[in-house]
Amino acid sequence: MDPRALQELLAAVRDGSLSIEEASRRLEESPTLDLGHTRLDVGRETRCGHPEVIYGAGKSPTELVEIARALMQTSGRLLATRLSPEGAEALCEAIPGAQHHERARLVCAGVPEEGEGLVLVVSAGTSDRPIAEEALWTARSLGAHAEHLADVGVAGIHRLLAHEERLRAARALVVVAGMEGALPSVIGGLVERPVIAVPTSVGYGASLGGLAALLAMLNSCASGVSVVNIDNGFGAGYSAALINRTQHPTRA
Amino acid sequence: MDPRALQELLAAVRDGSLSIEEASRRLEESPTLDLGHTRLDVGRETRCGHPEVIYGAGKSPTELVEIARALMQTSGRLLATRLSPEGAEALCEAIPGAQHHERARLVCAGVPEEGEGLVLVVSAGTSDRPIAEEALWTARSLGAHAEHLADVGVAGIHRLLAHEERLRAARALVVVAGMEGALPSVIGGLVERPVIAVPTSVGYGASLGGLAALLAMLNSCASGVSVVNIDNGFGAGYSAALINRTQHPTRA
Amino acid sequence: MDPRALQELLAAVRDGSLSIEEASRRLEESPTLDLGHTRLDVGRETRCGHPEVIYGAGKSPTELVEIARALMQTSGRLLATRLSPEGAEALCEAIPGAQHHERARLVCAGVPEEGEGLVLVVSAGTSDRPIAEEALWTARSLGAHAEHLADVGVAGIHRLLAHEERLRAARALVVVAGMEGALPSVIGGLVERPVIAVPTSVGYGASLGGLAALLAMLNSCASGVSVVNIDNGFGAGYSAALINRTQHPTRA
Amino acid sequence: MDPRALQELLAAVRDGSLSIEEASRRLEESPTLDLGHTRLDVGRETRCGHPEVIYGAGKSPTELVEIARALMQTSGRLLATRLSPEGAEALCEAIPGAQHHERARLVCAGVPEEGEGLVLVVSAGTSDRPIAEEALWTARSLGAHAEHLADVGVAGIHRLLAHEERLRAARALVVVAGMEGALPSVIGGLVERPVIAVPTSVGYGASLGGLAALLAMLNSCASGVSVVNIDNGFGAGYSAALINRTQHPTRA
Amino acid sequence: MDPRALQELLAAVRDGSLSIEEASRRLEESPTLDLGHTRLDVGRETRCGHPEVIYGAGKSPTELVEIARALMQTSGRLLATRLSPEGAEALCEAIPGAQHHERARLVCAGVPEEGEGLVLVVSAGTSDRPIAEEALWTARSLGAHAEHLADVGVAGIHRLLAHEERLRAARALVVVAGMEGALPSVIGGLVERPVIAVPTSVGYGASLGGLAALLAMLNSCASGVSVVNIDNGFGAGYSAALINRTQHPTRA
Amino acid sequence: MDPRALQELLAAVRDGSLSIEEASRRLEESPTLDLGHTRLDVGRETRCGHPEVIYGAGKSPTELVEIARALMQTSGRLLATRLSPEGAEALCEAIPGAQHHERARLVCAGVPEEGEGLVLVVSAGTSDRPIAEEALWTARSLGAHAEHLADVGVAGIHRLLAHEERLRAARALVVVAGMEGALPSVIGGLVERPVIAVPTSVGYGASLGGLAALLAMLNSCASGVSVVNIDNGFGAGYSAALINRTQHPTRA
Amino acid sequence: MDPRALQELLAAVRDGSLSIEEASRRLEESPTLDLGHTRLDVGRETRCGHPEVIYGAGKSPTELVEIARALMQTSGRLLATRLSPEGAEALCEAIPGAQHHERARLVCAGVPEEGEGLVLVVSAGTSDRPIAEEALWTARSLGAHAEHLADVGVAGIHRLLAHEERLRAARALVVVAGMEGALPSVIGGLVERPVIAVPTSVGYGASLGGLAALLAMLNSCASGVSVVNIDNGFGAGYSAALINRTQHPTRA
Amino acid sequence: MDPRALQELLAAVRDGSLSIEEASRRLEESPTLDLGHTRLDVGRETRCGHPEVIYGAGKSPTELVEIARALMQTSGRLLATRLSPEGAEALCEAIPGAQHHERARLVCAGVPEEGEGLVLVVSAGTSDRPIAEEALWTARSLGAHAEHLADVGVAGIHRLLAHEERLRAARALVVVAGMEGALPSVIGGLVERPVIAVPTSVGYGASLGGLAALLAMLNSCASGVSVVNIDNGFGAGYSAALINRTQHPTRA
């Protein structure tokens, strides 16, 4: 509970406008909404600046729609990731204005207008695109102006260097790569902005499902690089959007 | 090479004020300074907003001093981490104005004035302090106003919640924890700013030298959390300082 | 063999009412029932207070029914876990009074009346429910009064703290979580009762099929936390029920 | 904060005996004691039934003594584990009534009188003794009557079976083993009480510092077995003592 | 080449009955039979006392039949493991006298008469049976008298001890177990014969596909235990048969 | 950019035949061809002596054909690996002269005439053939004379030694083996040429998907052995072809 | 208890020569000798054909001597492995006739006369010698005629093949190798006797302390190979001696 | 044995100039030299073009000197790696003309004259130098002209690109890097020659002693890259020298 809200509540207790029992209940309970299958954390937007995001994996279309409706009612915004085609379709039918980004496997609605700044999502190979697009659309869902620079892996380093100026224009960079995961180190050495590195499960054999890229990124010799889970484009896009908007906070 | 600098160089070739050979050499060579044992990347500050940082592990006091002097001459700033006591002492003697932060095992000099904003470093247990202080002094070396909130591990969650307001005041948070590495998830759910999580090697047995905490942080159920290498307080402080200053860039 | 039974057997030998050969055979053989495919440990209930539990994975419906019938005859109780839908159906048809708990994938019969005390099963996210319910119904099958508090993950810590009183009312707690597995540490710091932590395989990438949560729980900074295998709701419910009934033992 | 305490506080606000500012401060702050190097969680005993335990690894004798004194003042009890010989000696000199158990590497003071019940610590080999004794003295420090049955590894199974009656007399068992970690499975099949298994780092090569025993215990085919971290005798003794006293709770 | 054969060859060269070219060719080439898809090591039986065994995984029915025919022609014996149902059927149709052991997934033909001695295959749980039967039929294919004692896991230790005499009657024991893999340690402590331990992939979560059992067996505290690959019933049966027949070698 | 090309460009700027803007653009951009889904690195052949190779996994037949056409236009050569049957068929229909090597799962076109020297691909077992043939056809696609010696695993060492002379005739050897991965060590001790070792995922259980063979090869006690990723026949054939042609470089 | 002994005991009960209480005690207790620090399994020799072996690691000289004396009194034989120099010296002083084998780090006494047969210990490199000699002296301590063939690693395969006849003369082989651990596969393909493979921790980097060799040996493509723990020369020598004496059992 | 030598031997048998016994012995024995502690593979130079190399780790100065003398006598050449300072000193005193390269920890003698071509050793950071120099001096010991380009890590990519021409001049490249191990991928994309990648153990935490770099290199997205063990500068230099001299073989 917010300190100001707390003092107001205590004042209401003192002047008798609030019963002790009710005050006690309010102090003990956080705002949650129980949907039977899910206990929605309604206070998330107040605390974190963004309502809960739906992690779609393993949820039925019916559950997805119920949670999405509750979110639209309480916050007017929706972001659902890792959706099956059926789940995405159900959401698009149920939620007016919902957009489905197929390759990114996500649905969003109530996306705010693009703010200032630039989140640049950079990816190494063709197979890294789905994860890069998940990062891209997550950042846009949080109100960031976001762009994607694709297919600039380190084995053709000149492809990357041709875009040095664009790299340096971003306020936050998401760098997506599988296999040896070297791209964040090279980019981290070219820019003065934070880099969020996303290892992907692209590869085979000793890539160990993306662990090789993850370890490489954690050991980056460039400063200013931090890392999210394998294939976690959502998390990287979210962090980058938060970084981008430190300059123009959405809440007073 | 910066595009404007490139066009100037080409103009100089056209008007004959620069020979083809010299232009060719400049285009081929990046600015490096060869110290015999080390090839200093003098262009780092121009590209990344901060000169090279000395990773002290395994360098002799003599090498440290030579690199530090070269850095002070070319940039007027110094940050050296993971120093042995001997290395730190040698730097303090050789570099005027150098400060030694013992628990953090780093030396810095030419630290810029504190800018706006707040980088908050939060740590879980007593044993996590050295890493937390490395993050703290790294962020300060990059010009951030940085503070430390210590010893607020999740087994006494009320200790942490008592500081909710302070947590929410930061522009960027560094969260340092060993053992089960749960603290970033709890904090990530309380704030609307990016969290840089630092797993530490504090623990034994199945902590696997910090791998348990690292994996936990990579799997955080809170959004906005990204992770650096085990015990990499430097990397976290660096990223947090970059995030903090997106609001007041140091270069035009 | 129970010491008293042993002395009775020896007395019977001495007074001639039992032949040496028969006594020898009884001493050498433990009570087992050979069903062809399975050798039932009929003495389990005497030794451990509960008959053998059927681990359903990989057993055919026919085998399941045969073992279940033998258990019902020798002990009047049945608990079968990790059942395929076909296996569960076969058991429900064959065993009078059998109940099927679908999400928990288990069938039980002859469940004793609820005793005193409370086993509280707490779970972090929607996807952890099947494992939590396996724990819930296992504890109930052993005669415990058991309840489930769902969807109180650490990223919304206030959701959890709202239930502090309920947490403290339990004699034993089962805490189920995937991803970073932080929930047992937070709960362990709030109660004075033993916590059995269950890591789940919920997650992706660096969750390594639940290993990340398992390692986190083993490294819990809270005291009083012990851990079972990934997705082993059964084992946790079983241990919690044993703990709960230390206060009212079922056997003299 | 305890619900009753909360209602009393609110009543005091209403009747004016407590100012809003003070009530606000009390609600926001949990009881912690800041020792400079450590922030003591003074509320731990109220919440968990036992004050904080000192994890001695890495703490200086001076720090240990300061924390120990604070604990003795606030709770009259002390338990400090993983002590260096110097740390143990400093505690024994500073804290009246402190006992040092060398092999267990712990110091305790203010140990309560032994309660009812029995915690039985069973260990497999000679080298597992230090961990077993850490469990033993931890359980005793929490008020349990605890005994140790040593050197009954599974390669001489008759050594173990000779003690079947004693095993069955315990309310909670701690089973300590390195190498293949098989002992908890055998004991779990002989008793009807919860078993807390402790893998030790005893072994070499493919024991992987105790991981082999840890994995074996997590995969125990016996029901009622839960596991703590490698070499975590403290955690096992703590859990076992909590289990043992479910029958005679120390607090109303 | 066998030393005696070598001296005969050289004698034939000296007396002119063998040309240098032919002798040279024979010395350079080992006896192999090229089937196009496979290069059969025809000398295996001479060197190792048993012809090559067909590892069926990934081989087409046609390939299997061609190799089997070649083996029957050169040695009169056949053992093929890890067969698909189609592969097994094809072999049974093509090879007169071939027997198919379904649960063991192997086909054998030309099995020698049972020799003296006893290979005892012991298995822990119902799910370990297929691997145990692979060991059983492999040992029989090599001419051993082999028997199977099933379902005697360590959680019901009396089930096992009832068979102590039978265990002690074997010349070589194969012990098959999944999960925690404890059975070989207990048996190794009861007999004075070599134990070949076979970990199985039975289990889930932290069993890591059988690695937990494998590590446990490698760390057995009993002497005289050696280990084969996970689910390698064939290898264990083969080794046990070799051990069993050290007493009555098949070749002069 | 090639130094000579750079000086020519600068000369063209000086003599006015090239505008500063155009020169600037050429210097900044490397030659890439954007196909929408893929950014082709057209300069690869100039830099590396061979155009980009298509990694077929996960690419649709349409994408494959578009990339292949672009490659044929810019370089007249094509190599595509890890193709699905559909992908291979599409390429064979679209690209005149394309050859499909099924077992190797690759398609090539514009294969240069065989040069001097010999690349010898050696494989251990029947199941290693697909990877060995990928290496074989890759080497041929790069212009090498390449041969395959199959099924000479170490358990029949004489099968291998019979070919010692042929092994010694090669300029570069690719050695392919799964399971224990011992073959490169034996061959490395027989020849004076570089050996490229390829671990395969052939095996089960503790082969860990080829990791066992990979580790074995990295620890080879023979000198002159280097290793590529598990199942990476392509990479080994590519390296071997490069080694083979150091003697007759294809470019002046 | 041996069946015959059991029937004798029961007969003594019937004829009154043994009291029920005494019979009960004898049946419940196995023969152990409690030395305070160690509980000696005195029945081991009866069950397993060899008295307990002392694992010297971590035992003080005093403890070693006490255990050794108890063993000499009860069995007249002693084998102690992994001894520190001080431990070995103490044993040699205390136990008449004790021999110290320094490189093998073991002490033995009361070694039986050499029996028939041959245990051949083969090792790959110079650094594998200590482990090979531990195997050698262990086998001799169990009464085997044992020899050592050293330094015949696979990179010089002809060194090994020169000894083919000697390899084939053994009844059981112990094969010791570090690094890639290939030697057992080659030898397993040359002989018709069981091979016990011992991986050693010789190597660096990706040898992972011997895990690479261990995995290679578990995946051996040769039949008849089983494996013991890393550096476990004792276990291999013990198993080989058991195998060797299946032909001339030491007990009726 | 060389085929020509074999035919000569057989001819000598036929014409009676060689006895059957002697021929038999020569055929059975390969040329080895037994030094007591070591069995020298004297035929290595004939087979592999270079005599055995001494792996110094764990060998005493006396052993080193004896092996070195034997090598100098049989081949006139010496290369010893991983030497302790004492070992290096002993070799320098004992072997005339021996050179000690301290940072590389190796001693060589009888180094052949530099041949044609160029082996270029490239290293990423200051701490990678010792391994790079081991590669450098190994290549020179095998007769290669070898050079070292140091401190060109990917975080300052322009440092590397400035040397593109030099990179392209080499016939074989050794690329040495720790941490994220990205350098070989970038260089592999710039040259048309084989790259031997050497991961180093430089780093901390999630570098896992060099495993992170090793995995990255095995997953390189550049073609033509193969990998050796962690810190194995020797192996890389050896392979590179073999590659370099494919153009001018040293033996007819």
Side-chain angles (χ1 to χ4, degrees), chain F residues 155 161 180 182 185 189 206-207 216 219 221, chain G residues 155 161 180 182 185 189 206-207 216 219 221:
Chain F
L161 297 179
E180 83 275 68
S185 294
S207 89
N219 285 286
C221 60
Chain G
L161 297 178
E180 82 276 69
S185 294
S207 89
N219 286 285
C221 60

Side-chain angles (χ1 to χ4, degrees), chain D residues 82-97:
Chain D
R82 306 232 162 194
L83 295 167
S84 63
E86 299 73 36
E89 193 181 358
L91 286 177
C92 287
E93 280 173 18
I95 307 295

Side-chain angles (χ1 to χ4, degrees), chain B residues 163-181:
Chain B
H163 298 278
E164 198 170 341
E165 201 169 357
R166 194 171 170 202
L167 294 172
R168 299 176 60 78
R171 269 193 202 154
L173 297 101
V174 171
V175 182
V176 183
M179 294 179 165
E180 83 275 70

Side-chain angles (χ1 to χ4, degrees), chain C residues 10, chain G residues 9 13 18-28:
Chain C
L10 290 170
Chain G
L9 180 147
V13 167
L18 187 69
S19 74
I20 286 183
E21 290 66 33
E22 177 62 15
S24 174
R25 202 192 51 72
R26 287 199 201 162
L27 282 165
E28 278 183 338

Side-chain angles (χ1 to χ4, degrees), chain E residues 4-156:
Chain E
R4 206 177 20 183
L6 176 59
Q7 298 208 355
E8 285 170 15
L9 181 147
L10 290 170
V13 167
R14 192 168 53 181
D15 64 21
S17 65
L18 187 70
S19 73
I20 287 183
E21 290 66 31
E22 177 62 14
S24 175
R25 201 192 53 73
R26 288 199 200 161
L27 282 166
E28 276 184 338
E29 280 185 11
S30 72
T32 63
L33 194 61
D34 197 334
L35 303 176
H37 45 80
T38 305
R39 193 182 299 267
L40 209 63
D41 178 5
V42 182
R44 184 74 58 91
E45 189 171 16
T46 313
R47 291 197 318 276
C48 303
H50 194 273
E52 270 204 277
V53 174
I54 305 178
Y55 176 70
K59 294 204 174 66
S60 73
T62 313
E63 290 170 339
L64 287 170
V65 166
E66 286 180 22
I67 306 174
R69 282 195 177 126
L71 282 168
M72 289 303 290
Q73 282 163 13
T74 53
S75 77
R77 298 165 69 178
L78 169 67
L79 177 57
T81 64
R82 305 231 162 196
L83 294 168
S84 63
E86 300 73 35
E89 195 181 357
L91 286 176
C92 287
E93 281 172 18
I95 306 295
Q99 313 165 29
H100 179 202
H101 299 285
E102 270 189 64
R103 194 148 39 177
R105 292 197 296 151
L106 62 71
V107 163
C108 50
V111 173
E113 248 182 274
E114 270 188 14
E116 286 174 46
L118 170 64
V119 167
L120 185 65
V121 178
V122 188
S123 59
T126 306
S127 315
D128 300 317
R129 287 209 171 203
I131 303 305
E133 297 197 4
E134 193 188 50
L136 187 75
W137 285 105
T138 296
R140 288 175 179 167
S141 290
L142 271 84
H145 172 68
E147 299 177 1
H148 184 193
L149 172 59
D151 225 9
V152 291
V154 297

